[in-house]
Amino acid sequence: MIIVMAPWATSVHIDDVVVHIRAMGFESRLVSGENRNLIAVEGGEHQLLEKSFEAWPGVERVIPVLQPFKLASREYKSNDTVVLVGADRPGLSPITIGGPELHIIAGPCAVENEKITLEIAQRVKAAGCRLLRGGAFKPRTSPYSFQGLGEGGLRVLEKVRAETGLFIVTEVLETSDIEIVSETADVLQVGTRNMSNFRLLQRLGTVKKPVLLKRGMNATIKEFLMAAEYILSNGNPNVILCERGIRTFETYTRFTVDINAIPAVKHLSHLPIIVDPSHGTGVWRLVEPVALAGIAAGADGLLIEVHSDPQHALSDGSQALKPERLPSLLKKVQAIGAVLGRTFSGT
Amino acid sequence: MIIVMAPWATSVHIDDVVVHIRAMGFESRLVSGENRNLIAVEGGEHQLLEKSFEAWPGVERVIPVLQPFKLASREYKSNDTVVLVGADRPGLSPITIGGPELHIIAGPCAVENEKITLEIAQRVKAAGCRLLRGGAFKPRTSPYSFQGLGEGGLRVLEKVRAETGLFIVTEVLETSDIEIVSETADVLQVGTRNMSNFRLLQRLGTVKKPVLLKRGMNATIKEFLMAAEYILSNGNPNVILCERGIRTFETYTRFTVDINAIPAVKHLSHLPIIVDPSHGTGVWRLVEPVALAGIAAGADGLLIEVHSDPQHALSDGSQALKPERLPSLLKKVQAIGAVLGRTFSGT
Amino acid sequence: MIIVMAPWATSVHIDDVVVHIRAMGFESRLVSGENRNLIAVEGGEHQLLEKSFEAWPGVERVIPVLQPFKLASREYKSNDTVVLVGADRPGLSPITIGGPELHIIAGPCAVENEKITLEIAQRVKAAGCRLLRGGAFKPRTSPYSFQGLGEGGLRVLEKVRAETGLFIVTEVLETSDIEIVSETADVLQVGTRNMSNFRLLQRLGTVKKPVLLKRGMNATIKEFLMAAEYILSNGNPNVILCERGIRTFETYTRFTVDINAIPAVKHLSHLPIIVDPSHGTGVWRLVEPVALAGIAAGADGLLIEVHSDPQHALSDGSQALKPERLPSLLKKVQAIGAVLGRTFSGT
Amino acid sequence: MIIVMAPWATSVHIDDVVVHIRAMGFESRLVSGENRNLIAVEGGEHQLLEKSFEAWPGVERVIPVLQPFKLASREYKSNDTVVLVGADRPGLSPITIGGPELHIIAGPCAVENEKITLEIAQRVKAAGCRLLRGGAFKPRTSPYSFQGLGEGGLRVLEKVRAETGLFIVTEVLETSDIEIVSETADVLQVGTRNMSNFRLLQRLGTVKKPVLLKRGMNATIKEFLMAAEYILSNGNPNVILCERGIRTFETYTRFTVDINAIPAVKHLSHLPIIVDPSHGTGVWRLVEPVALAGIAAGADGLLIEVHSDPQHALSDGSQALKPERLPSLLKKVQAIGAVLGRTFSGT
């Protein structure tokens, strides 16, 4: 940590800071900058940042040197984290996310009823996917929109898993739902609007199930990794990150997929990361090219909305792919993955 | 609602849409645009937007005409909503937010202990304020930061109210906390990271207490009003909005206070709105000018972080004002308010 | 164009608008919306938008239906534009951008001297590229930074072309430079800071040379295509677009590459588009994955900064790739391009 | 400047950097951070930042300590710059911008013809203003929009000045126009799209006339001050800054006025700054409250679009105030200014 003193700071101001740092058990060195002194602190950055040094007289600003996350960092753990999904489902062979195999999680935005969910699931399975997405509890911008089937939706997902063998990825909206959703889900999804719901993250840290953590639409990469840190530091190492688009000034698309974030996260962290081109664009026409871009950028998989009747979908129909478009998309995923040494056990 | 058909759309495509709209009970008129037809629908916009017409063959895009919120709109209720605070506290005279009187909510970011909270509260009261802010439950970006005193903090706030007569504004983090926080709080605060926690908003709609709803740092003005709609549509009309800065590319300040939003909200909605220049700038030096700007733009009040010892604050010290700066600030608030016909019963 | 009348608009207000539209030669239809009337205008959108209908009494807002650009639109010209580069250089075989062949434009940010430019150019050529980038006139954020060699830089570029046969892509900063830069350049580059320099764009419309138009860091996709429209409407159809990152709240990277924009532009326009992962990330480590993502998303090529001694580069060294990294990158470009039916005549 | 070495950096890497710094004439100190070493450099930051240390082996990142601007900084010149306007107009008494007196620059977006410009000017003058704005050369997003009267517009402005005694603020679009526009203008305006037109800024540095520099819609506060630095460092100290809204995700308003920037600029720089609430909101209804907010935040004046017939304005009619709204607005400006010790010699 570097503390930049104001040009007008006196030696009393400097001493106050230095003495306080030493009292906390850390050393510092004084460096003469241009018109101002710098106090370079050796160690203790996380503890010292908690102190509001910028409120001290004579302090111009505080410059952190370290990343704010620890357990999520590549520095802490240099080899890639591989998350095992489905180990507790007898009869189904588990899969790994973050290893050489790419995984495509596909399915409807919301679980609408059993018939259509099963129909979509069968198409998803036939295309070579191993995971089904589908929301039972839906966070909707309007109080007047369809809010999901709730527990009934979980029952549908269980039946569909029994029928197809697909693993289930579904959203948990608040801590009081964790228990019930955990019984059904193979991967617990945290939505973009909950990425900074720290209470939820803490509780998910005490669960064993893998967590799919979507990036907040307003979160920096560092804040995204800090959210993962909440889960990791509470004991659950099975975090899968998901880039799903950030909010920018561009309005032609619903969000802007931050493709830079894929290699940036791979550099900063050991956690797997996938891309959601459906929410990330909001336009079904753009889903395939952005999905392929995600794989080319090094993502470990994709999260794609698929609906067999998008015209009558109860939620987000305009960004859903029809199932008949999946095989061709997945064939390209496989081929591009192969260029980067990844496999996809698809069609 | 306007449905823009693609240039290549056939009469079959058009008929499909028109018939479907009629089947839902609404009329439409066909308009020839340049190279494309428009279907202008008469009524039913909220129901029809739930249908994914953009996924229909031949549809280029759907253009909503109405604002997505109803109960929060100025059109629905033309006169200003005035929220009564403290009506259930015997011995204290209640106050109104949204009427001619301006209110400044001041206090520490987090409740740290009784002594310092009381000390700050007394200074806040002496400066002419009627409401104290202070967080017992704190949402923090880092799992390693001080997370608030929890229920102990609520006890402190109650003691401080008993001692000073200040009304209490404090944050509620999730639905399971509503009951306990409601017992202490006179105004329930929803933080920026919870503005899209729709489950929380729904439950707050079933409570009688006024809710201070902070704008999501990534929320448009419309989404902000939609969040209020969640509370209103569940039965609680006592919503106070708070502009607290949005996230932009500017990094010199922590957030960018959207000053345009004050008159925009006043135009679109009947709800009161206040400004938080402390979080909105992140720099104590900028708090006074931005606070005054908020009042000049027509805000109904301010939310200001005040700490008697920002150097040792456990949270956000660098954006807290020292209590000795309050009187001069409030004198200017009073004078600028007077220009706009507002009163402040300050120092 | 749709004109939404306010709920309180009278029939006089409506008539005023309708009569004015008819006087301009266009027809309109009145549609009853919810609590308000809509005036749906048939045709004349571009002329009518010039009128400030939003300033008319009783008008709530004006909703355009068409895209604001014409000549740049896919609707105007459905087949892809293929730009021919180098047709006027005897002895060199021209190339096409926007056809099946991918092109990688590589080279230093700025031309520093002949020796190093030639050295880099030879490596670029050896890797299979046909175009060299290099700035003679440099727009720099700081007045104290290296501003380019100017005309001397153009001389260096000419020598390097003579030596290597690479075509030259170099920036033109203002209209008065067009003539001199055109003599040297095979493609005239317009930088991100000049995308809205409409005077420059107009003059480039009167030139024959292909123009590489970089997206303004703050420009929407529509504004980007409007900038192209300036060039096209002044007579030059040879426009190559370049996505180079937009400004967002993310600070880990210098800009955020808008990968969605590649398929979006391909859908909206017939013009070729390439990606600049060097400026788009600002970090050399992220260049390869984002370059590959661009190709996977359907881009027609790349613009990559390469420097043989980035440690001593006079500009943007930290985002430059070393030439030895090019062959492996281009091999992957070739393989991913092949998945999408594109060719690269590389190593 | 601080150079953060990577955890894996060797002593050879460190020595390379240290030796290079010393060879450039500067000293540095090595500081042991957590898992990594820091090299704290004493002085020479501007020269050293030109070196691409981030491209050196073993370097993790470079942290600047100083602001990148010098002449524009409050540190360089502690007292407020007061810009004199109109000193060379015999018969008119000059005014000062940046002193105690507030100035409101009002007038049409574009000069349309003599009659209407004069009519507006007389209303502007009657309201107590001393400066008229009006564009002769207009940068327009669409090539099909009205582009201004050009030199004819300058003639109109001269006549209007002769008639009313108002000083003229008008835009200069490129270096080749500086001479001609300077003859007419009392203040040369640089538009938001030209804030990073460094060639234009350099040339304006060689002119004596005051320059009104509008903030780029995508520019950070630092970049804004760097743009001013271009003018100052080329010899012209008469720079007036103008906050005119930045581009954010909010779409209800055309731009987001960065109200924080007013006190931030006052803290960082000695230059005067005014606010443009017309472009900053894009909605005439929001102009007054945002104008007042600007004054309350400490701005030195305002730039306001006024049009006597906004319904038929050729440009930006929907954001123009009618002249009859000026007196009431200016009365409030005067009263709010008085609270802050500022005067306005208005109505």
Side-chain angles (χ1 to χ4, degrees):
Chain A
M1 189 171 77
I2 308 294
I3 298 176
V4 182
M5 301 303 292
W8 48 267
T10 66
S11 59
V12 172
H13 293 144
I14 294 171
D15 285 354
D16 272 2
V17 172
V18 167
V19 166
H20 193 84
I21 289 167
R22 189 170 307 139
M24 289 182 68
F26 305 103
E27 285 308 307
S28 64
R29 302 193 69 171
L30 193 66
V31 181
S32 319
E34 281 150 289
N35 294 326
R36 56 205 4 102
N37 287 289
L38 312 183
I39 299 170
V41 189
E42 308 196 326
E45 180 158 319
H46 290 289
Q47 296 98 305
L48 290 166
L49 277 177
E50 290 298 302
K51 300 286 147 189
S52 296
F53 279 112
E54 288 188 342
W56 288 52
V59 172
E60 191 172 275
R61 64 196 182 103
V62 171
I63 304 176
V65 167
L66 298 183
Q67 299 295 0
F69 43 85
K70 292 182 220 171
L71 306 179
S73 72
R74 180 69 81 179
E75 206 169 300
Y76 175 81
K77 175 171 181 292
S78 62
N79 61 320
D80 289 348
T81 285
V82 177
V83 175
L84 188 68
V85 174
D88 55 348
R89 295 284 168 209
L92 297 180
S93 68
I95 59 174
T96 54
I97 295 181
E101 211 169 341
L102 297 171
H103 280 286
I104 315 305
I105 308 169
C109 180
V111 175
E112 296 173 14
N113 60 51
E114 189 179 327
K115 186 172 166 296
I116 202 163
T117 309
L118 183 58
E119 186 183 313
I120 296 169
Q122 280 162 338
R123 304 291 293 268
V124 162
K125 188 189 182 184
C129 301
R130 295 289 315 275
L131 299 115
L132 180 76
R133 60 152 292 154
F137 300 98
K138 297 296 306 170
R140 301 299 299 275
T141 310
S142 167
Y144 310 119
S145 296
F146 174 61
Q147 310 269 330
L149 295 182
E151 294 192 35
L154 297 177
R155 295 297 85 75
V156 168
L157 290 169
E158 284 164 6
K159 282 189 195 167
V160 171
R161 178 176 49 216
E163 197 87 25
T164 61
L166 291 173
F167 292 117
I168 300 299
V169 181
T170 196
E171 185 162 354
V172 57
L173 278 185
E174 60 174 6
T175 53
S176 56
D177 293 345
I178 291 179
E179 205 179 348
I180 185 177
V181 177
S182 291
E183 282 165 32
T184 302
D186 297 299
V187 177
L188 293 161
Q189 181 177 318
V190 176
T192 185
R193 291 170 184 79
N194 265 331
M195 192 209 81
S196 299
N197 186 335
F198 303 121
R199 197 77 75 82
L200 179 63
L201 301 178
Q202 279 169 333
R203 302 279 168 85
L204 287 169
T206 66
V207 160
K208 293 271 172 298
K209 283 276 160 74
V211 175
L212 179 69
L213 178 65
K214 296 189 109 180
R215 181 177 179 183
M217 62 182 80
N218 61 300
T220 62
I221 292 170
K222 286 187 189 180
E223 289 166 340
F224 189 18
L225 292 172
M226 282 305 278
E229 187 85 7
Y230 258 98
I231 303 173
L232 300 176
S233 66
N234 281 280
N236 185 350
N238 301 305
V239 176
I240 303 157
L241 303 170
C242 179
E243 164 62 36
R244 50 78 67 209
I246 57 173
R247 182 155 271 185
T248 69
F249 61 77
E250 179 59 62
T251 55
Y252 180 76
T253 49
R254 204 165 155 196
F255 294 98
T256 299
V257 169
D258 180 1
I259 197 76
N260 296 356
I262 307 302
V265 162
K266 287 281 175 197
H267 177 68
L268 292 168
S269 178
H270 50 84
L271 295 171
I273 183 164
I274 67 172
V275 173
D276 176 350
S278 305
H279 285 89
T281 64
V283 186
W284 69 263
R285 232 183 255 103
L286 308 183
V287 168
E288 177 171 311
V290 174
L292 300 180
I295 296 301
D300 297 296
L302 300 167
L303 183 67
I304 296 185
E305 285 195 8
V306 173
H307 200 290
S308 49
D309 186 10
Q311 287 185 237
H312 298 96
L314 295 180
S315 166
D316 283 346
S318 62
Q319 71 193 32
L321 278 194
K322 291 197 180 174
E324 52 262 40
R325 293 182 186 277
L326 264 187
S328 145
L329 163 58
L330 295 181
K331 209 170 152 187
K332 289 176 196 155
V333 163
Q334 195 174 38
I336 290 177
V339 174
L340 302 168
R342 311 296 291 260
T343 59
F344 175 70
S345 56
T347 48
Chain B
M1 189 171 79
I2 308 294
I3 297 175
V4 182
M5 301 302 293
W8 48 266
T10 65
S11 59
V12 173
H13 292 144
I14 294 172
D15 285 354
D16 271 1
V17 172
V18 168
V19 166
H20 193 82
I21 289 168
R22 190 170 306 141
M24 290 181 67
F26 305 103
E27 285 309 307
S28 64
R29 301 193 70 170
L30 193 65
V31 181
S32 318
E34 282 151 288
N35 294 327
R36 58 206 2 101
N37 287 289
L38 312 184
I39 299 170
V41 189
E42 309 196 327
E45 180 159 320
H46 289 290
Q47 296 97 305
L48 290 166
L49 278 178
E50 290 300 301
K51 301 285 146 190
S52 296
F53 279 112
E54 289 189 341
W56 287 52
V59 172
E60 190 171 274
R61 65 196 180 102
V62 172
I63 303 176
V65 167
L66 299 182
Q67 299 294 1
F69 43 86
K70 293 183 219 171
L71 306 179
S73 72
R74 180 69 81 180
E75 205 169 300
Y76 174 81
K77 175 171 181 293
S78 61
N79 61 319
D80 288 348
T81 284
V82 176
V83 175
L84 189 69
V85 174
D88 56 347
R89 295 285 168 208
L92 296 180
S93 67
I95 59 173
T96 53
I97 294 182
E101 211 168 342
L102 298 171
H103 280 287
I104 315 305
I105 308 168
C109 181
V111 176
E112 296 172 14
N113 60 53
E114 188 179 328
K115 186 171 166 296
I116 203 163
T117 309
L118 182 58
E119 186 183 313
I120 296 169
Q122 281 162 337
R123 304 290 293 269
V124 162
K125 188 190 183 184
C129 301
R130 296 287 316 274
L131 300 114
L132 180 75
R133 60 152 292 156
F137 300 97
K138 298 297 306 171
R140 301 299 299 277
T141 310
S142 167
Y144 311 119
S145 296
F146 174 60
Q147 310 268 331
L149 295 181
E151 294 192 35
L154 297 177
R155 295 297 85 76
V156 168
L157 290 169
E158 284 165 5
K159 282 188 196 169
V160 170
R161 177 174 49 214
E163 197 88 24
T164 61
L166 291 173
F167 292 117
I168 300 300
V169 181
T170 197
E171 184 161 355
V172 57
L173 278 186
E174 62 174 4
T175 54
S176 56
D177 292 346
I178 292 179
E179 204 179 350
I180 186 176
V181 177
S182 290
E183 281 166 32
T184 302
D186 297 299
V187 177
L188 293 161
Q189 180 177 317
V190 176
T192 186
R193 291 171 184 78
N194 264 331
M195 194 208 80
S196 299
N197 186 335
F198 304 120
R199 197 76 74 84
L200 179 63
L201 300 178
Q202 278 169 332
R203 302 279 168 85
L204 287 170
T206 66
V207 160
K208 292 270 171 298
K209 282 276 162 72
V211 176
L212 179 68
L213 177 65
K214 297 189 108 181
R215 181 177 180 182
M217 63 182 80
N218 61 300
T220 63
I221 292 171
K222 286 189 189 179
E223 289 166 340
F224 190 17
L225 291 172
M226 282 305 279
E229 187 85 5
Y230 258 97
I231 303 174
L232 300 176
S233 66
N234 280 281
N236 185 351
N238 301 306
V239 176
I240 303 157
L241 302 170
C242 179
E243 163 63 38
R244 51 77 70 208
I246 57 173
R247 183 155 271 185
T248 69
F249 61 77
E250 178 60 62
T251 54
Y252 180 75
T253 49
R254 205 164 153 196
F255 295 98
T256 299
V257 168
D258 181 1
I259 198 76
N260 296 356
I262 307 302
V265 163
K266 287 281 175 197
H267 177 68
L268 292 168
S269 177
H270 51 84
L271 295 171
I273 183 165
I274 66 172
V275 174
D276 175 351
S278 305
H279 285 90
T281 64
V283 185
W284 70 263
R285 234 184 254 104
L286 308 183
V287 168
E288 177 172 311
V290 174
L292 300 180
I295 296 300
D300 298 294
L302 300 168
L303 183 68
I304 295 185
E305 286 194 8
V306 173
H307 200 289
S308 49
D309 186 11
Q311 285 185 239
H312 298 97
L314 295 180
S315 166
D316 282 347
S318 62
Q319 72 193 32
L321 278 195
K322 291 196 181 177
E324 52 263 39
R325 294 183 186 275
L326 265 188
S328 145
L329 163 58
L330 295 181
K331 211 170 149 186
K332 289 175 195 154
V333 163
Q334 195 174 39
I336 290 176
V339 174
L340 302 169
R342 311 296 291 261
T343 59
F344 175 70
S345 57
T347 50
Chain C
M1 189 171 78
I2 309 293
I3 298 176
V4 182
M5 302 303 292
W8 48 267
T10 65
S11 58
V12 173
H13 293 145
I14 293 171
D15 286 355
D16 271 4
V17 172
V18 168
V19 166
H20 193 84
I21 288 168
R22 189 170 306 140
M24 290 181 68
F26 305 103
E27 285 309 307
S28 64
R29 301 194 69 172
L30 192 66
V31 181
S32 317
E34 282 150 290
N35 294 327
R36 62 218 342 114
N37 288 288
L38 311 183
I39 299 170
V41 189
E42 308 196 327
E45 181 159 317
H46 288 291
Q47 296 98 304
L48 290 166
L49 278 178
E50 290 299 302
K51 301 286 147 190
S52 295
F53 279 112
E54 289 188 341
W56 287 53
V59 172
E60 191 173 273
R61 65 197 181 101
V62 172
I63 303 175
V65 168
L66 300 182
Q67 299 294 1
F69 43 86
K70 292 184 220 172
L71 307 179
S73 72
R74 180 70 79 178
E75 204 169 302
Y76 175 81
K77 175 171 182 291
S78 62
N79 61 321
D80 289 348
T81 285
V82 176
V83 175
L84 189 68
V85 174
D88 56 347
R89 295 285 168 208
L92 297 180
S93 68
I95 61 174
T96 54
I97 294 182
E101 211 169 343
L102 298 170
H103 279 287
I104 315 305
I105 308 169
C109 181
V111 175
E112 297 173 14
N113 59 53
E114 187 178 327
K115 187 173 165 296
I116 201 163
T117 309
L118 182 57
E119 186 183 312
I120 297 169
Q122 280 161 338
R123 303 291 293 268
V124 162
K125 188 188 183 185
C129 301
R130 296 288 315 276
L131 299 114
L132 179 76
R133 60 152 292 156
F137 300 98
K138 296 298 305 171
R140 300 301 298 276
T141 310
S142 167
Y144 310 118
S145 296
F146 174 62
Q147 310 268 331
L149 295 181
E151 295 193 34
L154 297 177
R155 294 299 83 76
V156 168
L157 290 168
E158 284 165 4
K159 282 189 195 167
V160 170
R161 177 175 49 216
E163 197 89 24
T164 61
L166 290 173
F167 292 116
I168 300 300
V169 181
T170 195
E171 184 162 354
V172 57
L173 277 186
E174 60 174 7
T175 53
S176 57
D177 293 345
I178 292 179
E179 204 179 350
I180 185 177
V181 177
S182 291
E183 282 167 30
T184 302
D186 297 298
V187 177
L188 292 161
Q189 181 178 317
V190 176
T192 185
R193 291 171 184 78
N194 264 332
M195 192 209 82
S196 298
N197 185 335
F198 305 119
R199 197 76 76 82
L200 179 64
L201 300 177
Q202 280 169 330
R203 302 281 168 82
L204 287 169
T206 64
V207 159
K208 292 270 172 299
K209 281 276 161 74
V211 175
L212 178 69
L213 178 64
K214 296 190 110 181
R215 180 177 180 182
M217 63 181 81
N218 62 300
T220 63
I221 292 170
K222 286 188 189 179
E223 290 166 340
F224 190 18
L225 292 172
M226 282 305 278
E229 187 86 7
Y230 258 98
I231 303 173
L232 300 175
S233 66
N234 280 280
N236 185 351
N238 300 306
V239 176
I240 303 157
L241 302 170
C242 179
E243 163 63 38
R244 50 77 69 206
I246 58 173
R247 182 155 271 185
T248 69
F249 62 77
E250 179 58 63
T251 55
Y252 180 76
T253 48
R254 206 166 154 194
F255 295 98
T256 299
V257 169
D258 181 1
I259 197 78
N260 296 354
I262 306 303
V265 162
K266 287 281 175 196
H267 177 68
L268 292 167
S269 177
H270 50 84
L271 295 171
I273 182 164
I274 67 172
V275 174
D276 174 351
S278 305
H279 285 88
T281 64
V283 186
W284 69 263
R285 236 182 252 104
L286 308 182
V287 168
E288 176 172 313
V290 174
L292 300 180
I295 296 301
D300 298 295
L302 300 167
L303 183 67
I304 295 184
E305 286 194 10
V306 172
H307 199 291
S308 49
D309 186 11
Q311 288 185 238
H312 298 96
L314 295 181
S315 168
D316 282 345
S318 62
Q319 70 193 32
L321 279 194
K322 291 196 181 176
E324 52 263 40
R325 294 183 186 276
L326 264 189
S328 146
L329 163 58
L330 295 181
K331 210 172 150 185
K332 290 175 195 154
V333 163
Q334 195 173 39
I336 291 177
V339 174
L340 301 169
R342 312 295 292 259
T343 59
F344 175 70
S345 55
T347 51
Chain D
M1 189 171 80
I2 309 293
I3 297 176
V4 182
M5 302 301 293
W8 48 267
T10 65
S11 59
V12 172
H13 293 143
I14 294 171
D15 285 355
D16 271 3
V17 172
V18 168
V19 166
H20 194 83
I21 289 167
R22 189 170 304 140
M24 289 180 68
F26 305 103
E27 284 310 306
S28 64
R29 299 194 70 173
L30 193 66
V31 181
S32 317
E34 283 149 288
N35 294 328
R36 62 220 337 116
N37 288 289
L38 312 183
I39 299 169
V41 189
E42 309 196 327
E45 180 159 316
H46 289 290
Q47 297 97 306
L48 290 166
L49 278 177
E50 290 299 302
K51 301 285 147 190
S52 296
F53 279 112
E54 289 187 342
W56 287 52
V59 172
E60 190 173 274
R61 65 197 181 104
V62 172
I63 304 176
V65 167
L66 300 181
Q67 299 295 1
F69 43 86
K70 293 184 218 171
L71 306 179
S73 73
R74 180 70 79 179
E75 204 169 302
Y76 175 81
K77 176 171 181 292
S78 62
N79 61 321
D80 290 348
T81 284
V82 176
V83 174
L84 189 68
V85 174
D88 56 347
R89 294 286 167 207
L92 296 179
S93 68
I95 60 174
T96 55
I97 294 181
E101 211 168 342
L102 297 170
H103 280 287
I104 316 304
I105 308 169
C109 182
V111 175
E112 297 172 14
N113 60 53
E114 188 177 328
K115 186 172 164 298
I116 202 163
T117 308
L118 182 58
E119 187 184 311
I120 296 169
Q122 281 161 337
R123 304 289 295 268
V124 162
K125 188 189 183 184
C129 301
R130 296 288 315 277
L131 299 114
L132 180 76
R133 60 152 292 154
F137 300 98
K138 297 297 305 171
R140 300 301 299 277
T141 310
S142 167
Y144 311 118
S145 297
F146 174 63
Q147 311 268 329
L149 295 181
E151 294 192 35
L154 297 177
R155 294 299 84 73
V156 168
L157 290 169
E158 283 165 4
K159 282 187 194 168
V160 170
R161 176 174 51 215
E163 197 88 24
T164 62
L166 291 173
F167 292 117
I168 300 300
V169 181
T170 196
E171 184 161 354
V172 56
L173 278 186
E174 61 174 6
T175 53
S176 57
D177 293 346
I178 292 179
E179 204 178 350
I180 185 177
V181 177
S182 290
E183 282 166 30
T184 303
D186 297 299
V187 178
L188 293 161
Q189 180 177 317
V190 176
T192 186
R193 291 172 184 76
N194 263 331
M195 193 209 82
S196 298
N197 185 335
F198 304 121
R199 196 77 75 83
L200 178 64
L201 301 177
Q202 279 169 332
R203 302 280 168 85
L204 287 169
T206 66
V207 159
K208 291 271 171 298
K209 282 277 162 71
V211 175
L212 179 68
L213 177 65
K214 296 190 110 181
R215 181 177 179 183
M217 62 182 79
N218 61 302
T220 63
I221 292 170
K222 285 188 190 179
E223 289 166 341
F224 190 18
L225 292 172
M226 281 305 279
E229 188 86 7
Y230 258 98
I231 303 173
L232 300 176
S233 66
N234 281 280
N236 185 350
N238 301 306
V239 175
I240 303 157
L241 302 171
C242 180
E243 164 62 39
R244 49 78 69 207
I246 57 173
R247 181 155 273 183
T248 69
F249 60 77
E250 179 58 62
T251 55
Y252 180 77
T253 48
R254 204 164 155 196
F255 294 98
T256 299
V257 168
D258 181 2
I259 198 75
N260 296 355
I262 306 302
V265 162
K266 287 282 176 196
H267 177 69
L268 291 168
S269 177
H270 50 84
L271 294 171
I273 182 164
I274 68 172
V275 174
D276 175 350
S278 305
H279 285 88
T281 64
V283 185
W284 69 264
R285 235 182 253 104
L286 308 183
V287 168
E288 177 172 312
V290 174
L292 300 180
I295 296 300
D300 298 295
L302 300 167
L303 184 66
I304 295 184
E305 285 194 8
V306 173
H307 200 289
S308 49
D309 186 10
Q311 288 184 239
H312 299 96
L314 296 180
S315 166
D316 282 345
S318 61
Q319 71 193 32
L321 278 194
K322 291 195 180 178
E324 52 263 39
R325 293 182 186 277
L326 264 189
S328 146
L329 164 58
L330 295 181
K331 211 171 148 187
K332 289 175 196 155
V333 163
Q334 195 174 38
I336 291 177
V339 175
L340 302 169
R342 312 295 292 260
T343 60
F344 175 70
S345 57
T347 51

